[in-house]
Amino acid sequence: MTTQTLKDLEQTQDFIRRHIGPDEAQTQAMLNDINAESVDALIDEIVPANIRLADLPAIEESKTEVKALADLKAVASKNVVNTTHIGLGYYGTLTPNVILRNVLENPGWYTAYTPYQPEIAQGRLESLLNYQQMCLDLTGLDLASASLLDEGTAAAEAMALAKRVSKNKKSNLFFVSEEVYPQTIDVVKNRAEFFGFDLVIAPANDVENHDVFGALLQYPAASGEVSDISELIEKVHAKKGIVAVAADIMSLVLLKAPGELGADVVIGSSQRFGVPMGYGGPHAAFFTTSDKYKRSMPGRIIGVSKDTRGNAALRMAMQTREQHIRREKANSNICTAQVLLANMAAFYAVYHGPKGLKVIAERIHRFTDILCLGMATKGVQADHANYFDTLTFTLSNKEEIVSRALAKGVNLRTDVEGKVSVSLDETTTRENVANLFDILLGEGHGLDVAALDQQIIDCDHASIPASLVRESEILTHPVFNSYHSETEMLRYIKKLENKDLALNHSMISLGSCTMKLNATAQMIPVSWPEFANMHPFAPVDQAQGYKHMIDELDKWLVELTGYDAMSMQPNSGAQGEYAGLIAIQKYHESRGDAHRNICLIPSSAHGTNPASAQMVGMKVVVVDCDKSGNVDMSDLKAKAEELRDNLSCIMITYPSTHGVYEETIREICEIIHDNGGQVYLDGANMNAQVGITSPGFIGADVSHLNLHKTFAIPHGGGGPGMGPIGVKKHLAPFLPDHALINVDESTKGNGAVSAAPFGSAGILCISYLYIAMLGKKGVTDSTKYAITNANYLAHKLSQHYPILYTGNNGRVAHECIVDLRPLKEASGITEMDVAKRLMDYGFHAPTMSFPVAGTLMIEPTESEAKPELDRFIEAMTCIRDEIRKVEQGEWTVENNPLHNAPHTLADITDPAWDRAYTVGEAVFPVPAAAANKFWPTVNRIDDVFGDRNLICSCPSVDTYKD
Ligand SMILES: *Cc1c(COP(=O)(O)O)cnc(C)c1O
């Protein structure tokens, strides 16, 4: 009777059909609508023949979720997770389980996008404001940003800020204390080289002997020593220099704030506030400075403003779209940051509160006292008397100690000759300390932790100088003093989550951002201890599981990009651009072409492109686009030829941000190469390439991949991300390396772009599983269905709105641009009104006004099924009808549901409802919106007010009252 084979039946476990939204019937219906024979025929129509790959990529077949997870578990188990006392900015931490499960492992938090639409993002904006408040309290300054990528890059950003604001204009010299973490020095060195700054790295006290525009100090120092840096800071100030202090966030709970010691900028990592080490990341770096430098601040600041009802409401302030507006004049190229991890750290502070944090910090410090005293009792003095959590010992028997440590499963810091450092953390126990005595002294030392503790109390042992003991209060705001029971905390997290629209509510069709499925199975290994608890500088032989996974992912990405080598180091697309441009510059240099410094960038480019070019000292020359959105070939040719002697490269996005496959892409690569330049292909749109073409095949030399777009890492509400770069063979020798962990023999000694050798290695398992579970066919199908979905949407929407650019045959690539400018002209309704009105329908707006002002860029991805696409089309269609009513005068330009969008519960319960439309029209415009209602929690937010009155800390309690 049965006609199905076992193979047919087994296909029910296939992940491909879970990842790709439309099923067969839905696909057929869409194809009928857009008049295409089949998915493959559609792809043939759209993708230029001269860039099509003949075969599927040479990667494995897809695996089921069960098999892929089991195989990865076996790989993970090759990691040896030692007890780590390495320190250097990465520490063991206890993620409160209520935060682990309800934030890190919760799609309501991890699938949200950067809060560009603040009315439906008040939850994470509040949490980020808490993060900023926490950073302000601990660092003692008055302006904080909502996270940077890591401590190393934050230090580099601090140096760049110092150059912008220092009044010592004639100096080109930046001072770095040699007691700054080695990986930070490495990142700063690389930046300084390309900015053209001179660097001096010397003992901190030496700073007074130099005429500098700025200086970087570490507090406590890398050795662990705590010393009063206020005099050094004064000396730099006397010469009009700016002082940045890299600080340990946990130590600041007990130590005097660097701001109180005179620091102008304080940076550091908030990892040890509950975020697992993850072999280097992702973690949020903090950055605080003084209010007078607000115009020079890198990254995003969350600010308080008000909505149309006059209620307090939060949004990203000022430099939200900095790169897009200021391009190569932007303060930094930071786009994707570390929002999810900043939120975790903020929740950690909320959950523990000031008292809880103090206990944690004091316990760490007490264990360090016990270790120090015990060693001293046995005649081994630490190198310094003042410390928080780290002791350094100068030892004659270092080798013996290190091998004893390894035999006991313990890692110490060993990179400084003749010395060993030991850092303790929140996870340290009495047994750990007893174990450390055994390691450092050999067994039979007779030391007793409890007895040493008593001795410390009896002698009133002081290892923090009185002048550096914190006196100012921290975290006095009610939010840090209210949610200390798990029930209260759970509800606070949920309360915030409810305010935010994420992918677990509806599709987020942000063009260029590729908000596809972040499958649950792909997320699971992120919190496996084998991955989560690895220190990035653990000996490589302990990290074989990571090595295996990274090597395999590397191999797959090489195949999918058509390049020869990858670097996993960059923590975001923008960092990938920076790393790729460095490779280009180093390559030119190696051929005696160091003078090549012109970077051609089409006008449609993402703002990070010119911002990154500026960071490596390139001069940006803009290339025009023609009427159909393509690069203007004659302008390109003319400029490439005219500038040929100094041409470094082009940065081009493919398919372009206009959403079309330019037919001339190969020719563009040739023109650039013929004129001595290199091709940087911005890989943000790889979701339109995987499996059907590739940047390497097209002829480009280097690209970044946004693993948080194409390869399924969730956006985390504005980060984390990963921006590995692929390069052709000739650029491979110029990929980043790392000061402490050699990434590859061939790159030995190269500078670093991130603090950790493999960037945010802890989330690479997501992309790894994405590829493993989809296999060669699945990744290729994803591209094809992304294009199919986009063309279906474009076709349906074109019946109501003009689609700005299409290819030769009227088709689009994986995204399309809806042009609202004509409607604005006719009705006064703006793209902003449409974006806000979509919230009433339960949708997040598409990308607004990029790459063209007055438009929406829509990218549905392959993961959305037809019913969801249809709901979105219905919303856009109804919105068109609403606009028509304004055009026809039925509604005035002020009194209509678009202008007043989004609508809140406050609106509809206001007895003074005086709108020209009903409450029903306002909040339930279509049945689908009513059936799955999403309530924006604030009305439209006033951006201008917020920028004029910049407040980046938690509003005082009084403002909550009125
Ligand atoms: C997203 C994007 C970038 C920047 O990537 P981040 O990971 O946010 O730094 C660069 N170019 C384009 C075209 C993008 O869409």
Side-chain angles (χ1 to χ4, degrees):
M1 279 306 293
T2 179
T3 55
Q4 288 183 310
T5 64
L6 183 56
K7 194 149 190 255
D8 293 333
L9 296 170
E10 281 168 344
Q11 269 176 13
T12 54
Q13 291 189 359
D14 184 4
F15 175 71
I16 300 176
R17 70 198 185 99
R18 301 292 187 192
H19 176 75
I20 292 175
D23 64 15
E24 242 172 83
Q26 292 172 12
T27 305
Q28 196 50 55
M30 293 197 292
L31 290 171
N32 291 348
D33 259 317
I34 60 178
N35 198 17
E37 194 79 1
S38 65
V39 169
D40 284 326
L42 180 68
I43 302 305
D44 289 343
E45 270 184 63
I46 294 173
V47 185
N50 69 347
I51 61 164
R52 281 296 293 278
L53 293 170
D55 302 307
L56 283 181
I59 57 173
E60 269 105 288
E61 301 285 350
S62 66
K63 286 181 185 176
T64 65
E65 296 183 37
V66 173
K67 174 92 169 95
L69 278 170
D71 288 354
L72 185 58
K73 190 75 186 181
V75 169
S77 67
K78 293 205 240 171
N79 283 337
V80 178
V81 182
N82 274 2
T83 304
T84 169
H85 298 294
I86 299 172
L88 291 176
Y90 304 91
Y91 305 87
T93 181
L94 301 172
T95 311
N97 285 311
V98 65
I99 296 172
L100 178 72
R101 174 154 297 185
N102 299 291
V103 182
L104 180 63
E105 298 178 342
N106 177 354
W109 286 94
Y110 68 69
T111 68
Y113 183 65
T114 307
Y116 281 131
Q117 297 295 335
E119 294 85 359
I120 49 174
Q122 292 292 300
R124 60 191 183 280
L125 285 164
E126 176 172 329
S127 182
L128 289 171
L129 198 71
N130 295 345
Y131 180 77
Q132 291 179 175
Q133 181 69 58
M134 169 186 101
C135 296
L136 296 179
D137 284 4
L138 287 165
T139 62
L141 285 168
D142 39 34
L143 185 76
S145 79
S147 83
L148 291 176
L149 294 167
D150 61 28
E151 180 161 344
T153 53
E157 296 287 355
M159 170 175 69
L161 178 139
K163 184 67 185 171
R164 286 193 289 276
V165 305
S166 169
K167 298 248 160 63
N168 189 357
K169 292 294 173 204
K170 59 184 196 312
S171 168
N172 193 42
L173 188 63
F174 189 72
F175 179 92
V176 180
S177 157
E178 63 186 19
E179 273 295 305
V180 168
Y181 296 151
Q183 74 274 16
T184 305
I185 295 180
D186 205 15
V187 174
V188 169
K189 246 190 194 163
N190 216 11
R191 283 281 176 103
E193 178 185 341
F194 286 94
F195 276 138
F197 303 155
D198 301 319
L199 213 57
V200 46
I201 303 166
N205 287 331
D206 198 35
V207 70
E208 59 183 298
N209 303 322
H210 300 278
D211 181 29
V212 298
F213 68 81
L216 175 66
L217 308 173
Q218 187 103 32
Y219 174 78
S223 64
E225 181 168 21
V226 172
S227 57
D228 191 340
I229 49 175
S230 55
E231 266 181 46
L232 291 181
I233 293 176
E234 254 174 56
K235 283 176 181 157
V236 179
H237 283 170
K239 295 179 182 172
K240 300 197 167 71
I242 297 291
V243 179
V245 172
D248 172 74
I249 195 163
M250 188 64 84
S251 74
L252 296 184
V253 174
L254 302 184
L255 296 180
K256 186 165 267 184
E260 293 168 349
L261 300 173
D264 303 290
V265 180
V266 185
I267 61 108
S269 166
S270 42
Q271 178 265 321
R272 67 192 305 186
F273 275 21
V275 183
M277 288 183 281
Y279 201 41
H283 316 127
F286 58 85
F287 192 112
T288 64
T289 183
S290 91
D291 192 62
K292 58 179 183 277
Y293 303 135
K294 65 184 172 205
R295 304 264 160 219
S296 280
M297 184 92 167
R300 274 94 176 247
I301 305 173
I302 306 310
V304 184
S305 185
K306 58 178 189 181
D307 71 1
T308 52
R309 292 190 159 267
N311 294 323
L314 309 174
R315 18 77 71 208
M316 293 199 288
M318 301 197 301
Q319 49 264 86
T320 296
R321 302 188 66 80
E322 201 213 16
Q323 295 105 28
H324 287 302
I325 295 158
R326 298 176 65 193
R327 315 287 286 184
E328 65 269 26
K329 293 187 185 66
N331 287 330
S332 94
N333 70 342
I334 290 288
C335 181
T336 288
Q338 300 280 19
V339 168
L340 186 68
L341 306 312
N343 284 334
M344 285 180 71
F347 280 127
Y348 179 94
V350 165
Y351 193 41
H352 289 299
K355 290 204 191 88
L357 284 183
K358 194 150 185 235
V359 171
I360 292 169
E362 279 179 345
R363 190 178 64 234
I364 295 170
H365 184 58
R366 177 64 60 85
F367 275 132
T368 318
D369 276 339
I370 289 171
L371 185 66
C372 186
L373 182 63
M375 293 297 287
T377 309
K378 296 290 164 183
V380 187
Q381 296 291 341
D383 281 6
H384 40 83
N386 297 314
Y387 50 81
F388 165 63
D389 67 351
T390 299
L391 301 170
T392 296
F393 300 100
T394 307
L395 300 162
S396 52
N397 60 340
K398 176 170 168 178
E399 263 172 55
E400 183 191 330
I401 285 173
V402 172
S403 67
R404 261 202 309 258
L406 290 175
K408 283 176 173 288
V410 170
N411 291 339
L412 308 169
R413 180 184 173 197
T414 59
D415 61 293
V416 182
E417 210 178 302
K419 292 180 193 288
V420 157
S421 300
V422 186
S423 287
L424 305 187
D425 59 52
E426 189 190 5
T427 65
T428 302
T429 61
R430 289 172 184 234
E431 291 70 40
N432 292 144
V433 175
N435 211 12
L436 281 168
F437 285 136
D438 291 349
I439 290 165
L440 294 165
L441 300 165
E443 278 173 47
H445 47 72
L447 292 170
D448 176 68
V449 170
L452 288 164
D453 182 38
Q454 195 53 50
Q455 237 178 300
I456 283 163
I457 295 167
D458 294 344
C459 72
D460 202 12
H461 183 79
S463 49
I464 296 176
S467 65
L468 292 179
V469 173
R470 177 177 282 266
E471 279 155 11
S472 54
E473 286 194 279
I474 55 164
L475 309 181
T476 55
H477 194 275
V479 75
F480 300 107
N481 295 280
S482 303
Y483 311 109
H484 303 325
S485 76
E486 184 166 330
T487 301
E488 293 276 33
M489 187 65 193
L490 180 69
R491 290 180 190 150
Y492 180 56
I493 292 171
K494 181 68 185 168
K495 178 179 118 182
L496 297 192
E497 182 197 338
N498 283 345
K499 297 179 181 202
D500 289 14
L501 191 145
L503 277 177
N504 58 353
H505 182 85
S506 55
M507 79 187 250
I508 301 180
S509 60
L510 285 158
S512 206
C513 301
T514 317
M515 300 290 288
K516 63 169 65 180
L517 169 72
N518 316 115
T520 311
Q522 293 153 7
M523 291 300 293
I524 284 175
V526 173
S527 23
W528 285 349
E530 298 92 323
F531 285 141
N533 298 340
M534 282 296 281
H535 191 289
F537 311 149
V540 241
D541 61 318
Q542 293 172 21
Q544 289 304 301
Y546 261 114
K547 181 165 172 19
H548 181 107
M549 178 180 74
I550 292 170
D551 285 351
E552 200 157 33
L553 178 60
D554 192 297
K555 194 182 74 189
W556 293 339
L557 294 177
V558 159
E559 171 65 18
L560 295 176
T561 55
Y563 285 126
D564 299 308
M566 302 289 303
S567 165
M568 295 291 176
Q569 201 173 94
N571 275 318
S572 71
Q575 293 308 94
E577 292 170 16
Y578 169 66
L581 294 178
I582 287 180
I584 289 175
Q585 282 314 74
K586 292 269 178 195
Y587 168 74
H588 285 317
E589 232 175 87
S590 75
R591 295 157 44 97
D593 276 345
H595 60 280
R596 291 190 172 273
N597 71 338
I598 304 274
C599 179
L600 299 179
I601 301 186
S603 56
S604 61
H606 194 269
T608 53
N609 291 183
S612 299
Q614 172 273 135
M615 286 169 69
V616 296
M618 289 182 183
K619 257 178 56 195
V620 174
V621 174
V622 176
V623 181
D624 298 336
C625 287
D626 66 18
K627 276 200 210 72
S628 17
N630 298 314
V631 169
D632 180 332
M633 292 302 285
S634 57
D635 189 48
L636 173 85
K637 206 152 188 238
K639 282 179 174 146
E641 278 164 13
E642 182 200 325
L643 302 166
R644 64 173 304 151
D645 291 341
N646 293 312
L647 182 63
S648 171
C649 61
I650 189 169
M651 292 186 88
I652 184 162
T653 306
Y654 196 74
S656 79
T657 54
H658 289 157
V660 284
Y661 291 92
E662 276 153 319
E663 302 275 342
T664 54
I665 185 68
R666 277 189 183 276
E667 204 183 319
I668 293 175
C669 294
E670 276 157 28
I671 292 172
I672 298 300
H673 287 149
D674 288 348
N675 289 289
Q678 293 281 294
V679 177
Y680 186 101
L681 192 147
D682 179 326
N685 289 344
M686 263 306 277
N687 213 43
Q689 290 194 38
V690 177
I692 60 174
T693 183
S694 76
F697 184 65
I698 286 168
D701 301 290
V702 41
S703 298
H704 71 261
L705 301 175
N706 303 71
L707 296 189
H708 48 299
K709 296 178 179 173
T710 315
F711 295 95
I713 291 178
H715 279 70
M722 269 294 272
I725 58 172
V727 293
K728 287 269 174 70
K729 214 179 279 129
H730 62 281
L731 294 179
F734 309 107
L735 289 174
D737 195 29
H738 192 271
L740 297 173
I741 300 285
N742 174 227
V743 173
D744 189 279
E745 259 324 296
S746 68
T747 58
K748 212 164 193 153
N750 289 356
V753 298
S754 299
F758 305 100
S760 300
I763 50 174
L764 288 176
C765 56
I766 302 169
S767 298
Y768 178 92
L769 281 177
Y770 172 84
I771 297 174
M773 283 158 45
L774 285 174
K776 55 171 90 172
K777 177 163 185 308
V779 296
T780 309
D781 279 356
S782 294
T783 308
K784 294 179 179 174
Y785 279 83
I787 295 169
T788 306
N789 276 355
N791 276 278
Y792 175 67
L793 262 188
H795 172 72
K796 287 291 201 180
L797 294 176
S798 71
Q799 294 157 19
H800 309 283
Y801 301 91
I803 302 296
L804 195 51
Y805 301 117
T806 54
N808 288 338
N809 36 30
R811 305 286 195 196
V812 299
H814 66 308
E815 59 194 8
C816 65
I817 298 177
V818 166
D819 192 357
L820 296 171
R821 291 170 300 186
L823 287 176
K824 184 172 171 179
E825 192 101 322
S827 66
I829 296 298
T830 65
E831 68 280 8
M832 178 79 90
D833 296 330
V834 174
K836 302 304 174 191
R837 182 60 174 154
L838 274 167
M839 295 174 188
D840 290 332
Y841 286 80
F843 287 104
H844 191 289
T847 300
M848 206 176 75
S849 289
F850 170 74
V852 183
T855 65
L856 296 177
M857 177 164 55
I858 307 176
E859 179 183 3
T861 84
E862 70 278 12
S863 300
E864 297 301 339
K866 182 168 179 288
E868 183 71 356
L869 300 178
D870 287 339
R871 276 190 284 275
F872 182 76
I873 292 162
E874 180 189 37
M876 289 296 288
T877 307
C878 293
I879 287 175
R880 178 66 189 91
D881 290 338
E882 292 172 354
I883 298 173
R884 193 167 293 115
K885 288 188 187 169
V886 180
E887 278 174 86
Q888 293 170 350
E890 195 170 319
W891 285 329
T892 66
V893 185
E894 269 78 43
N895 198 343
N896 67 68
L898 296 136
H899 180 79
N900 293 325
H903 295 85
T904 60
L905 283 165
D907 288 333
I908 66 168
T909 53
D910 187 342
W913 178 270
D914 57 355
R915 306 280 166 85
Y917 49 96
T918 67
V919 166
E921 284 174 305
V923 298
F924 298 146
V926 290
N932 187 23
K933 182 62 191 170
F934 188 89
W935 290 104
T937 53
V938 295
N939 287 99
R940 198 179 300 189
I941 299 175
D942 187 336
D943 279 322
V944 177
F945 179 85
D947 283 349
R948 288 224 180 103
N949 308 277
L950 186 66
I951 299 173
C952 69
S953 53
C954 293
S956 78
V957 193
D958 302 342
T959 49
Y960 283 112
K961 280 183 192 135
D962 38 75

